[in-house]
Amino acid sequence: MDAGPVGTAGRPRGGAGWSGADVNAAAAVGAAQLPVVTYVLLSVVSDSGDSYGIGYGGGLAALGYLCVMVFSPPVFAFLGLVQAVAHTLPAVGAGHFLARRFRGPEWLWRLLSAMGLGAFWAVPAAAVTGVPHPVWVLLLRCSAALAALGVVHVRRRAPTPGRALSAWGVWFRSPLVTLAAAVLAVPVTWAGYATGVLRMYEPPTLSEHRLTAEWRGGGGAVLRLGADGRARFENLPSQTGAESPGRDFVRCDGEGTWRLDRDGEYDSYLEEGPEERDGVLLEPAGPCGDDTFWTIGGTRESPELFVLFGDPDAGDLRTLTRR
């Protein structure tokens, strides 16, 4: 009796069992998507938080690119295998189970199962990374959809004489999946920003009343801004002039004055035309330190003052939080 078409490693075509070809296809498609997923996540994280005006250029960027080129392929391959075992293949099995009990094409049930399981795995992913849950839902659903369709494609080609995809053949075609994921990421990301699921970071707008407080930072730094425009500080990093060559800042104790600057006139690194960052200009009265511009950052609930000393690409960031 004819047992029906047989796929790779003796698995029935369309069956719920996992063949070696299924695992390989799911891992290859998952790994191929990871460069795009990583880029989207990094973009979301950088857009949703304050970059503090720090750049990553020069030798640091070159070293980073080198590390990515050397280490990312095996890392992505391993993570693709993890996704295949934990997400894609369980969804394929669930799709086969549902297709046997309900009407409709099996590939559609596999696709729906993959997207549903993506919402489940988005919960721990959001908890571990801090990236919002809706972002992970979008990414994992789209990723699982491509992976599930990849398994279906390999299974359909496997029983065709002379056209079975070998393990290397699947991985050789994986750049096409990367391209498809990149094309898919554009409308998905746009939709995220359009619907408000993704948000660009906007620094808080603080009044002089909100700034009038005690601010503390690392190294025992204390800055007290008074309602009368007076300021007192202890061990506070302050800009230095030519009289201290080779030093970006000194720590000072003393008094001075402060004022709120909404035009970014004194902001050395974050000049953005009509969208300058608000900040506090601190003018010490004593000989220790020069006028220093502290940019307003953080959020309205947890505001910060920060200053970047030295080169923006490798500067020394100092932050103060409101107490």
Side-chain angles (χ1 to χ4, degrees):
M1 179 180 294
D2 188 2
V6 178
T8 304
R11 300 292 186 186
R13 178 181 179 181
W18 298 357
S19 70
D22 291 341
V23 177
N24 185 68
V29 175
Q33 297 177 77
L34 283 174
V36 179
V37 173
T38 302
Y39 176 78
V40 171
L41 286 176
L42 290 177
S43 299
V44 170
V45 171
S46 62
D47 288 345
S48 62
D50 197 343
S51 65
Y52 298 108
I54 299 177
Y56 297 97
L60 183 62
L63 178 62
Y65 292 139
L66 179 62
C67 291
V68 169
M69 292 177 62
V70 173
F71 296 109
S72 62
V75 171
F76 286 163
F78 172 75
L79 293 178
L81 179 61
V82 172
Q83 184 195 27
V85 174
H87 189 175
T88 306
L89 295 178
V92 170
H96 175 75
F97 174 82
L98 293 173
R100 295 180 61 183
R101 285 158 177 76
F102 303 98
R103 294 182 178 180
E106 184 171 331
W107 68 265
L108 180 59
W109 285 111
R110 289 174 175 174
L111 190 62
L112 294 176
S113 298
M115 297 177 68
L117 196 56
F120 168 79
W121 283 117
V123 176
V128 172
T129 63
V131 177
H133 177 262
V135 176
W136 275 111
V137 171
L138 284 173
L139 287 176
L140 290 179
R141 281 183 170 178
C142 294
S143 175
L146 285 177
L149 292 176
V151 174
V152 172
H153 175 70
V154 171
R155 281 192 171 189
R156 285 181 174 177
R157 292 196 62 178
T160 304
R163 296 190 62 190
L165 292 177
S166 65
W168 286 111
V170 172
W171 285 91
F172 184 77
R173 291 167 173 78
S174 61
L176 297 177
V177 179
T178 303
L179 179 61
V183 173
L184 182 62
V186 174
V188 170
T189 305
W190 179 86
Y193 284 110
T195 58
V197 173
L198 305 179
R199 296 181 181 274
M200 298 286 289
Y201 172 77
E202 294 184 3
T205 300
L206 302 181
S207 64
E208 293 184 354
H209 175 72
R210 286 292 307 279
L211 290 167
T212 301
E214 180 178 281
W215 302 78
R216 291 182 174 268
V222 179
L223 173 61
R224 299 181 180 91
L225 302 180
D228 58 355
R230 303 290 299 174
R232 296 184 179 182
F233 45 89
E234 302 169 10
N235 209 29
L236 185 71
S238 299
Q239 194 76 42
T240 62
E243 66 275 8
S244 301
R247 301 183 64 182
D248 294 321
F249 67 89
V250 293
R251 290 187 175 273
C252 299
D253 298 339
E255 299 181 351
T257 59
W258 72 277
R259 57 192 174 97
L260 174 61
D261 175 25
R262 297 199 183 279
D263 298 325
E265 179 181 355
Y266 300 95
D267 193 344
S268 301
Y269 297 125
L270 299 177
E271 298 176 354
E272 302 175 6
E275 300 178 357
E276 299 92 346
R277 294 284 291 269
D278 294 354
V280 171
L281 179 64
L282 180 64
E283 301 173 298
C288 181
D290 295 335
D291 297 353
T292 303
F293 183 82
W294 289 84
T295 307
I296 296 175
T299 64
R300 184 167 181 80
E301 295 75 21
S302 301
E304 294 179 341
L305 297 178
F306 71 89
V307 63
L308 181 65
F309 296 104
D311 185 352
D313 288 336
D316 194 341
L317 177 69
R318 301 288 164 163
T319 61
L320 304 173
T321 56
R322 188 174 184 270
R323 299 299 176 92

